[in-house]
Amino acid sequence: MGAPVPASPEILLTILLFAMSCLWAFPDVAGAKHAGITRHYKFNIELTNVTRLCHTKSMVTVNGKFPGPRVVAREGDRLVVKVVNHVPNNITIHWHGIRQLQSGWADGPEYITQCPIQTNQTYVHNFTVTGQRGTLFWHAHLSWLRASVYGPLIIFPKRNVPYPFAKPHKEVTIMLGEWFNADPEAVIRQALQTGGGPNVSEAYTFNGLPGPLYNCSANHTYKLKVKPGKTYLLRLINAALNDELFFSIANHTFTVVEVDATYVKPFETNLLVITPGQTTNVLLKTKPIAPNASFYMLARPYFTGQGTFDNTTVAGILEYETSSNSTAFKPTLPPINATNAVANFTRKLRSLANSQFPVNVPQTVDKTFFFTVGLGNSPCPKNQTCQGPNGTKFAASVNNISMALPSTALLQSYFFKKSNGVFTSDFPSSPLHPFNYTGTPPNNTFVANGTKLVVLPFNTSVEVVMQGTSILGAESHPLHIHGFNFYVVGEGFGNFDPNNDPKNFNLVDPVERNTVGVPSGGWVAIRFHADNPGVWFMHCHFDVHLSWGLRMAWIVLDGTLPSQKLPPPPSDLPKC
């Protein structure tokens, strides 16, 4: 047999081109079925006239829509969102629940990871959705602009990766929100000036619609049309500013399958509890035969505090396509202050904790923190009359420190090592002056002010016990942490007992979340790995409490590997 004849360059080029064409034609061969794509969106921040409750006002929107446009991606995709500010207000956009691995510059909270986008300025958010799938949302993260600037962020699994439940007939997104006849910016501005509680909203909304229980709103009613014998996936998002909400549909039950874009062990219920910042996915199985009736879906607040709140109910209507709808049924919601109903719901939430979706809860912890969260007050300035408790100003705090926002972004100050005069790294790991947190308030209820941060080495395992206080009345607080999911390992009422309560922690299948309600008059314990370098905000998702200072921030230092370090900021990062 003769020696093989070497292929000519032309033949080699032909073979190479053929191989490449095969990869293009059959991308699974290259593993491309798991590779993400880049999706581009443009957010024009603009003023739009919107009418609700027979009241028309000009308000800040994205692309003229209220709520804003839906953003869709698959796990592994890169999102490039160009935000152009056409309004007089400064603006930032936060991608609520996105972990922002190595992309902390895109997170969005004002003066934490970036300066605001000023009028006629542009900023491009550029990040990859890594290891996440499910329902999240995006919203403004500056003052109270979130009242009208928000929209769904839907992350589908990678192609050919199924849900861990039967594929639904249809998927529906329902955003719970609030409507103010006044400008929400003016509402909070007045409250901060007077020191009193802000005026409350006039209505709650489903996808921006108040529904028939409000005056002048019959034509602004959300209707969900369904077919008999089908399963619908409802993606519920609480984008309300200041209220936890009960949700129910008359004569129907749900199967809860996901919260905060993490799958949970399915369980049936006819009542959902969703705090601001939380999402809940449920399967709704319709009746096998279309009844001659329609069914109200209702949401109203859960509230245990001492102040005023919007004590109204938003209604939508579930209709069967072939029904005459001669009768309308309403569900029965719990009392406004039904803390037990809230606890019964949250305690049912458990992670799947299987081989496909394992639990990575720290079994031991390197750093332990005990944070009190709640309301307090501040002295009234001289020559001013204040409308807070006993002539003071309302305030809110973590470990009695009400966080003052700096005039430049914390992440930039940290990254460029210019923190002097901007922040200190001495946030206390426990209250400096312990007291009976859920009992008789201390004599001094004034808060301290400062910009203090916690510094964590990379990959530190962290436990945080968040203890609610009853200084100005016990109420729940939805606490949201940017940059991380965490595991809710325990909760209870009264004061946390460090000797006995940890014995009952769930370290097997705790629910994984990005926002958790600290129980009214109680505590919640969470654990997470600090594996995301950057500066990360933690705050109450009641915007009034956020405005009063119930917020703090973590610095997570770089790791040793390139994939564990925060890269430099993009060139178009807004400047203060």
Side-chain angles (χ1 to χ4, degrees), residues 11-66:
I11 293 175
L12 290 174
L13 179 60
T14 301
I15 293 172
L16 176 62
L17 291 175
F18 176 76
M20 292 176 66
S21 68
C22 288
L23 293 180
W24 292 330
F26 307 102
D28 285 2
V29 175
K33 69 177 181 179
H34 298 303
I37 65 172
T38 299
R39 300 175 186 262
H40 293 267
Y41 289 86
K42 185 176 182 181
F43 278 16
N44 285 307
I45 311 298
E46 54 195 31
L47 292 173
T48 304
N49 286 334
V50 179
T51 301
R52 298 289 186 271
L53 311 182
C54 281
H55 184 92
T56 301
K57 67 174 184 178
S58 176
M59 63 189 201
V60 181
T61 65
V62 172
N63 299 346
K65 296 181 178 181
F66 171 67

Side-chain angles (χ1 to χ4, degrees), residues 77-300:
D77 285 353
R78 176 177 292 274
L79 283 171
V80 178
V81 186
K82 184 177 183 180
V83 181
V84 186
N85 187 7
H86 300 286
V87 303
N89 311 69
N90 289 344
I91 193 80
T92 67
I93 300 294
H94 169 52
W95 310 93
H96 184 106
I98 293 290
R99 292 203 57 202
Q100 300 292 2
L101 294 166
Q102 290 194 288
S103 56
W105 305 105
D107 191 43
E110 83 283 13
Y111 300 111
I112 306 297
T113 58
Q114 68 170 83
C115 298
I117 306 169
Q118 299 176 31
T119 306
N120 297 323
Q121 285 190 351
T122 297
Y123 180 47
V124 178
H125 291 258
N126 190 332
F127 58 92
T128 298
V129 181
T130 304
Q132 294 182 274
R133 81 293 303 162
T135 303
L136 297 171
F137 71 120
W138 57 264
H139 60 78
H141 211 301
L142 192 153
S143 189
W144 279 22
L145 289 173
R146 185 167 69 86
S148 59
V149 180
Y150 64 86
L153 172 55
I154 309 301
I155 306 166
F156 293 105
K158 295 179 179 180
R159 290 196 180 277
N160 302 319
V161 176
Y163 295 132
F165 46 82
K167 184 178 179 180
H169 168 69
K170 188 177 181 181
E171 301 186 11
V172 177
T173 301
I174 301 176
M175 300 204 75
L176 311 174
E178 283 182 271
W179 169 266
F180 291 78
N181 283 340
D183 176 9
E185 292 292 277
V187 170
I188 186 57
R189 191 162 51 242
Q190 180 187 34
L192 293 176
Q193 184 176 359
T194 65
N199 293 334
V200 301
S201 56
E202 276 72 31
Y204 300 106
T205 57
F206 289 149
N207 291 342
L209 303 173
L213 302 186
Y214 295 103
N215 290 333
C216 192
S217 298
N219 292 330
H220 285 148
T221 299
Y222 174 70
K223 293 184 178 181
L224 173 59
K225 290 189 176 292
V226 298
K227 295 179 179 180
K230 300 292 185 181
T231 298
Y232 292 78
L233 178 66
L234 306 186
R235 299 177 179 267
L236 291 117
I237 301 166
N238 188 350
L241 282 190
N242 292 312
D243 293 282
E244 300 179 73
L245 295 167
F246 293 119
F247 175 87
S248 186
I249 301 178
N251 296 7
H252 289 74
T253 58
F254 317 109
T255 301
V256 179
V257 294
E258 178 200 304
V259 296
D260 291 3
T262 61
Y263 297 127
V264 297
K265 289 183 172 70
F267 66 92
E268 285 194 1
T269 180
N270 59 8
L271 176 71
L272 303 179
V273 183
I274 315 178
T275 78
Q278 288 183 342
T279 65
T280 305
N281 281 11
V282 300
L283 297 176
L284 171 70
K285 189 162 187 178
T286 58
K287 299 181 182 301
I289 300 174
N292 287 323
S294 60
F295 303 89
Y296 277 98
M297 56 180 81
L298 300 181
R300 78 172 182 204

